[in-house]
Amino acid sequence: MRGTRRTASYGAGRWLCDVSRWLRTRFPVLLLAFVVALPAGAGFAQQGDPLRAVADRNEEISNRIAEATIAIEEPKKALADLRRTQTDLEQRMRWVERRASVQALGEEFAQTLREYLRGLPTSEQLAAGKARRMELLAAASDAELAVERALHRLDDRDAVIDSLLAKVQPPFADEELPQLKRALSAALRQQRDLLQRLAGEQEQLRKTLNEAGDEAVALQKQADAARTQLTDLLFWTPAPPTAQTLAELAPALRWTFSAAHWQEAAAAMQAELVRKPLWPAAALLSAGLLLALRGRLRRALLALSPAALMVDRYRIGHALAALAVTCLLALPLPLLMWAAAGTLLGAPESLDFVGALAEALYQVGRLLLALLISAWLLDQNGVAVRHFGWDEALMAATARELRRGLVIFVPLIFVAGLNGMAHAPFANEESLARLALSLAVLTLAGFFFRVLLPGGALMRGFSEYAPGTWVVRLRPVWLVALVGVPCGVALLALAGYFVAAGYVFGRLVHSLFLVLGAVVLYGLMALWVQIQRQRLAREQDGEGGTQEGTPAKQSATTGEPGRTVAHESSAPRRPRLDIAALGEETRSLLDFIVSLLLVGALWWVWRDAVATLGAITDYKLWSYTDSLGGKEVTHALTVGRLLLALLVLVITAILVQRVGALLDIVLLQRLDMQADASYAITVVTRYAIAAVGIVSSSRLLGIGWEDVQWLVTALSVGLGFGLQEIVANFVSGLIVLAERPIRIGDVVTVGDVSGKVARIRARATSVIDFDNKEVIIPNKAFITGHVVNWTLSNQIIRLLIKVGVGYGSDIGLVQRAILEVVRGNPEVLQDPAPSVFLVAFGESSLDFEIRAFVGSLDKRLPVQHEINREIARVLGEHGIEIPYPQRDLHIHSAPGALPGNLRDDQQDLGV
């Protein structure tokens, strides 16, 4: 019974192989004969007897019709097999549904489900058949076109007859021509009939191939639905171990390690090597070459590290090249396994052990390649240590534990795969495959336990290397997850849920490698950002040093704040990855990008589980109606749509926060754009993303415009009363971003507040005044009020300095001396030219006024200080006095009004 069920389950695979084999052998030869022969026959290039030539051609077309009639039987048979397979699949799925309605499902039902699942046609088989079918359809279309062209030439039989007679040498006599033309016309009429029959056969062939394509698409949809349904049932249908399971363990071991089976595999491989030696020979040669060059590859890996290169020559391409070398170092053994698997896949299908061995070698080769790449990444000369700057001791400890686990983990996975494949006996899957898979996942759990153990070398070193990171703080969570999940998979397998255990284990391994890939991608992106910043810093420092005309090192030692980068460029740092140096915004952006890619990749890996969890995600919370084409349509809001809407809102919130850094790194740094324009683009982009995210999540929740009209109406009333100022400020903020009367970094005066614009928000703008206080000013004030922007069109600002000298001073000398001082200051612009004028005669001085221009507002006070200091010095050198304010005091008093002593003094003075 078991053999009969297994034979029935492979019916879909057999007809695909038979049809593919026939299409590769006989059909292309026939089509090629049609395409080549028809144009030649239509032209009748033969010389001699034209009637004989036409008769021969008619006989050839008749033979082609007979061959086409025979050839079309095979596609018809394949089409019938395809429809029969669909019918059988429908019957089997109806039987499964009837049996699934029974509550008590045993091991026999689980075994039947697995055999049905294995017998379903795979997407790879159907895709290969589709590609071949499209190729044959193209050839059939070309042959049909050739027949149509031949028929078109025969539309004018007289012209064809004249052409045939013109080629006859010597020509026929005139009295023979009428009879000969009548005979040729009859023969050509017969040829036209034959060509029309041939065209009909070819059209029938093309229609059959198209029908087969449509049936194959329908079968694929049916197979996908059946696969989903069978997988769901197998997830929850246990096959618990019994005494029979233990008894089947010994036969499974004998089947696995049987010398006869391995000799059979060796013989099959030898036969396939003789038949198709190219690919195995190329793989063997490539693996041998990689093994021979392993020493050079390791030296190349070291030579690509930043420590072996000049600081200004290191690029992100060196890290990518190191990754490529890492893959080459890990490739030889998996490449040999794939070559052996590809060779064994060509063996006859009757050899079950050979087929299982081929599939196991292929799957384990993929796993081994990923593990070896991980080990080489963590090598002391690998990318993690040399390029990303991870701690060498930590990586060495992790790599050592990983290589130890490989010795046990990979053989166990190989045994589990060999006995769990479709070609292996079902008893092997229930006994040896289950045991080997359980031991393999327990080995994986042991690896994570040793790595994450608090007293282990890895966690102890990581705690010293990065004590405050989330990896260290959440160590108990990682320990429970990475150790508990494999143990749970082992319990699933031992409890009889072997399909669920295999599914979870496979996706778990894929997820772990995706996480490792995300970590490597994060390191590459962070390294690229850091290299770009260091390169930009060196370029800017070089430009600054050239403009100043002073050595960078000397400028750095002056202690000026703007020169510290120049000092670093004189002794540049090697591009070693330092996450802390990237900045909070850049780190957050990289976290978001990598996390988004990782979530998408994990979704792709676990997407098949959605069908299994459909009972939860399809749970209806409430219903709502929507208008579609004038008709009311009822939709259900499910848990899945609710979770998707929440996910859209979360992604929107993160994008709104991080889009500034994303635009700055990807686009705005590459454009010659001012900072205020970049800020305006960023703000508008945030508003757009927020609007799109809110609308998208609302649609997922079934909230349309007709549902929020009342809210908009209420808001409109509120705007007329209490919210008009808020809306006015919001609209004013949009106008400010669009017209840009003020920009980030501008120095403005609004009312009695002067300072530098720091941020432009939706409602208000932050201005930092000269006392370093942050003043919040509503946006409406910048549109409706009086605003002075000191730096809107340019940064040039005028100085107005007043100087007074004593009466009697040489006015021309004073003017020349002051003008020389002003012109001698390097910060004073020569265009517009500075000027000095005598503007007033003061009470105690001649008042001069200095008018000069400087490049920016922040230079105003320092330049004014330097000019005042130099004027005081120059005027002192020329003996020109800067007078104090003078007052003349006149005292008028009556006689006898003064005290006695003052009168005596007055008499003594003779007053």
Side-chain angles (χ1 to χ4, degrees), residues 567-887:
H567 178 70
E568 293 178 0
S569 63
S570 63
R573 297 177 293 126
R574 294 196 176 278
R576 183 185 180 93
L577 180 59
D578 185 6
I579 300 298
L582 294 177
E584 180 64 29
E585 190 172 9
T586 303
R587 289 200 305 271
S588 300
L589 175 63
L590 294 181
D591 291 342
F592 170 70
I593 294 176
V594 174
S595 300
L596 187 62
L597 292 176
L598 180 59
V599 169
L602 291 176
W603 168 263
W604 179 259
V605 169
W606 292 90
R607 68 190 186 281
D608 295 337
V610 176
T612 305
L613 300 176
I616 299 176
T617 57
D618 294 340
Y619 182 77
K620 184 172 68 173
L621 299 176
W622 66 78
S623 300
Y624 62 93
T625 59
D626 190 10
S627 178
L628 183 62
K631 298 181 179 179
E632 295 292 333
V633 181
T634 302
H635 300 280
L637 179 63
T638 61
V639 174
R641 291 177 67 89
L642 178 61
L643 294 177
L644 185 58
L646 293 177
L647 179 62
V648 170
L649 287 176
V650 171
I651 293 177
T652 301
I654 297 175
L655 279 176
V656 168
Q657 293 179 358
R658 311 304 181 197
V659 71
L662 177 62
L663 290 175
D664 185 57
I665 292 175
V666 176
L667 179 62
L668 300 180
Q669 284 186 355
R670 304 177 183 273
L671 302 177
D672 188 12
M673 188 176 296
Q674 296 180 357
D676 61 297
S678 302
Y679 183 81
I681 292 175
T682 301
V683 172
V684 173
T685 304
R686 284 173 176 166
Y687 290 159
I689 291 174
V692 171
I694 292 174
V695 171
S696 300
S697 60
S698 300
R699 296 303 302 171
L700 289 172
L701 294 175
I703 302 175
W705 169 250
E706 60 279 2
D707 299 320
V708 296
Q709 288 180 351
W710 62 271
L711 181 61
V712 174
T713 303
L715 288 176
S716 300
V717 177
L719 293 179
F721 295 97
L723 300 178
Q724 56 181 348
E725 288 297 326
I726 295 177
V727 175
N729 287 322
F730 177 77
V731 175
S732 299
L734 295 178
I735 295 174
V736 166
L737 291 174
E739 293 186 355
R740 295 160 57 193
I742 60 171
R743 303 162 302 185
I744 302 298
D746 281 352
V747 179
V748 298
T749 298
V750 183
D752 57 350
V753 177
S754 296
K756 183 176 291 187
V757 178
R759 288 180 300 275
I760 301 176
R761 301 291 189 184
R763 188 192 64 84
T765 297
S766 299
V767 176
I768 299 178
D769 65 3
F770 299 127
D771 294 332
N772 203 31
K773 295 183 297 183
E774 192 164 357
V775 183
I776 307 300
I777 302 176
N779 290 330
K780 182 180 177 181
F782 294 96
I783 301 299
T784 61
H786 178 72
V787 180
V788 177
N789 192 333
W790 298 85
T791 57
L792 178 61
S793 57
N794 58 63
Q795 299 285 330
I796 298 176
I797 204 78
R798 190 184 75 166
L799 296 180
L800 189 63
I801 305 175
K802 295 182 179 181
V803 179
V805 298
Y807 280 97
S809 301
D810 187 345
I811 295 177
L813 177 61
V814 171
Q815 185 180 17
R816 289 192 301 273
I818 294 176
L819 195 57
E820 289 178 359
V821 169
V822 175
R823 290 175 176 172
N825 193 296
E827 299 294 344
V828 174
L829 301 179
Q830 300 304 316
D831 184 19
S835 58
V836 178
F837 299 101
L838 176 62
V839 295
F841 294 95
E843 296 180 357
S844 58
S845 62
L846 300 173
D847 294 337
F848 287 83
E849 190 174 86
I850 304 171
R851 298 178 181 178
F853 295 86
V854 294
S856 61
L857 185 65
D858 57 350
K859 297 179 181 179
R860 184 176 184 179
L861 290 179
V863 172
Q864 186 171 353
H865 164 73
E866 293 176 2
I867 290 177
N868 287 334
R869 184 186 63 190
E870 289 299 313
I871 287 175
R873 183 184 62 81
V874 171
L875 294 182
E877 291 177 354
H878 287 83
I880 300 173
E881 178 186 4
I882 299 177
Y884 294 103
Q886 299 180 6
R887 295 290 184 271

Side-chain angles (χ1 to χ4, degrees), residues 42-44 145-162 184-185 187-193 195-196:
F44 300 105
L145 179 61
V147 173
E148 292 177 358
R149 291 173 60 185
L151 287 171
H152 179 69
R153 292 190 186 98
L154 291 178
D155 289 341
D156 191 356
R157 285 197 297 272
D158 294 337
V160 175
I161 292 173
D162 293 340
L184 286 174
S185 178
L188 290 176
R189 189 181 303 109
Q190 181 184 7
Q191 185 176 115
R192 182 179 182 84
D193 295 338
L195 287 174
Q196 288 177 347

Side-chain angles (χ1 to χ4, degrees), residues 166-506:
K167 297 177 181 179
V168 177
Q169 297 295 333
F172 289 97
D174 293 340
E175 58 273 12
E176 298 177 352
L177 289 178
Q179 184 179 1
L180 181 60
K181 287 183 177 181
R182 286 193 297 271
L184 286 174
S185 178
L188 290 176
R189 189 181 303 109
Q190 181 184 7
Q191 185 176 115
R192 182 179 182 84
D193 295 338
L194 291 174
L195 287 174
Q196 288 177 347
R197 287 179 55 193
L198 180 58
E201 294 293 333
Q202 291 176 345
E203 183 180 3
Q204 182 64 29
L205 176 63
R206 180 173 54 82
K207 290 181 178 180
T208 303
L209 289 173
N210 286 328
E211 290 179 5
D214 296 338
E215 294 296 333
V217 172
L219 177 61
Q220 182 173 6
K221 294 180 179 179
Q222 188 177 0
D224 292 340
R227 183 176 290 105
T228 301
Q229 185 176 359
L230 292 175
T231 303
D232 294 345
L233 290 173
L234 279 173
F235 257 79
W236 312 116
T237 303
T242 61
Q244 181 65 23
T245 304
L246 296 178
E248 291 173 344
L249 187 60
L253 288 171
R254 287 195 298 269
W255 184 88
T256 303
F257 300 103
S258 171
H261 285 165
W262 288 95
Q263 291 174 1
E264 182 181 64
M269 180 177 292
Q270 183 178 1
E272 288 298 317
L273 286 175
V274 173
R275 192 169 66 90
K276 295 180 179 180
L278 182 58
W279 156 242
L284 183 62
L285 181 62
S286 300
L289 183 62
L290 290 175
L291 289 174
L293 296 177
R294 172 158 293 196
R296 293 188 179 183
L297 289 176
R298 298 192 68 168
R299 290 192 294 271
L301 189 64
L302 185 60
L304 290 170
S305 63
L309 297 169
M310 298 293 293
V311 177
D312 55 347
R313 294 178 63 88
Y314 181 76
R315 297 290 185 270
I316 192 63
H318 293 90
L320 296 176
L323 283 176
V325 172
T326 301
C327 295
L328 292 177
L329 287 169
L331 189 58
L333 184 55
L335 185 61
L336 292 176
M337 297 177 68
W338 291 338
T343 304
L344 293 175
L345 284 175
E349 295 184 3
S350 59
L351 304 177
D352 290 339
F353 181 82
V354 175
L357 179 61
E359 294 181 10
L361 286 173
Y362 177 72
Q363 298 295 339
V364 176
R366 293 172 54 190
L367 176 62
L368 183 60
L369 177 62
L371 291 171
L372 291 176
I373 289 176
S374 303
W376 280 107
L377 283 174
L378 304 178
D379 189 74
Q380 61 180 357
N381 294 327
V383 175
V385 175
R386 297 298 178 182
H387 296 264
F388 296 165
W390 296 356
D391 187 80
E392 184 175 350
L394 300 182
M395 297 303 103
T398 306
R400 186 166 53 251
E401 293 291 340
L402 180 59
R403 289 189 172 93
R404 288 177 182 173
L406 284 178
V407 179
I408 304 174
F409 180 73
V410 174
L412 288 174
I413 289 296
F414 176 76
V415 173
L418 181 62
N419 288 272
M421 296 298 173
H423 296 277
F426 181 78
N428 290 23
E429 177 183 313
E430 290 299 311
S431 56
L432 186 56
R434 177 187 299 186
L435 179 61
L437 178 62
S438 302
L439 294 177
V441 294
L442 290 177
T443 303
L444 184 63
F447 165 76
F448 286 123
F449 181 77
R450 291 193 302 271
V451 168
L452 299 176
L453 196 64
L458 178 63
M459 289 307 301
R460 185 172 60 253
F462 203 94
S463 299
E464 297 174 356
Y465 177 68
T469 59
W470 53 271
V471 177
V472 176
R473 292 198 302 267
L474 299 179
R475 184 199 60 80
V477 177
W478 310 129
L479 183 62
V480 171
L482 295 177
V483 175
V485 172
C487 291
V489 172
L491 291 177
L492 276 177
L494 294 176
Y497 297 94
F498 184 78
V499 174
Y503 179 89
V504 174
F505 173 72

Side-chain angles (χ1 to χ4, degrees), residues 15 18-24 26-28 30-31 34 67-84 133 136-137 140 201-213 215-216:
W15 74 262
D18 295 340
V19 172
S20 178
R21 187 179 300 109
W22 178 85
L23 292 176
R24 288 196 303 268
R26 296 182 58 188
F27 189 64
L30 296 176
L31 287 180
F34 294 157
E67 292 176 355
T69 304
I70 297 174
I72 203 174
E73 294 301 323
E74 290 292 337
K76 287 183 177 179
K77 182 178 180 300
L79 180 60
D81 291 341
L82 185 61
R83 290 170 176 170
R84 186 166 50 254
R133 192 164 48 250
L136 296 174
L137 278 173
E201 294 293 333
Q202 291 176 345
E203 183 180 3
Q204 182 64 29
L205 176 63
R206 180 173 54 82
K207 290 181 178 180
T208 303
L209 289 173
N210 286 328
E211 290 179 5
E215 294 296 333

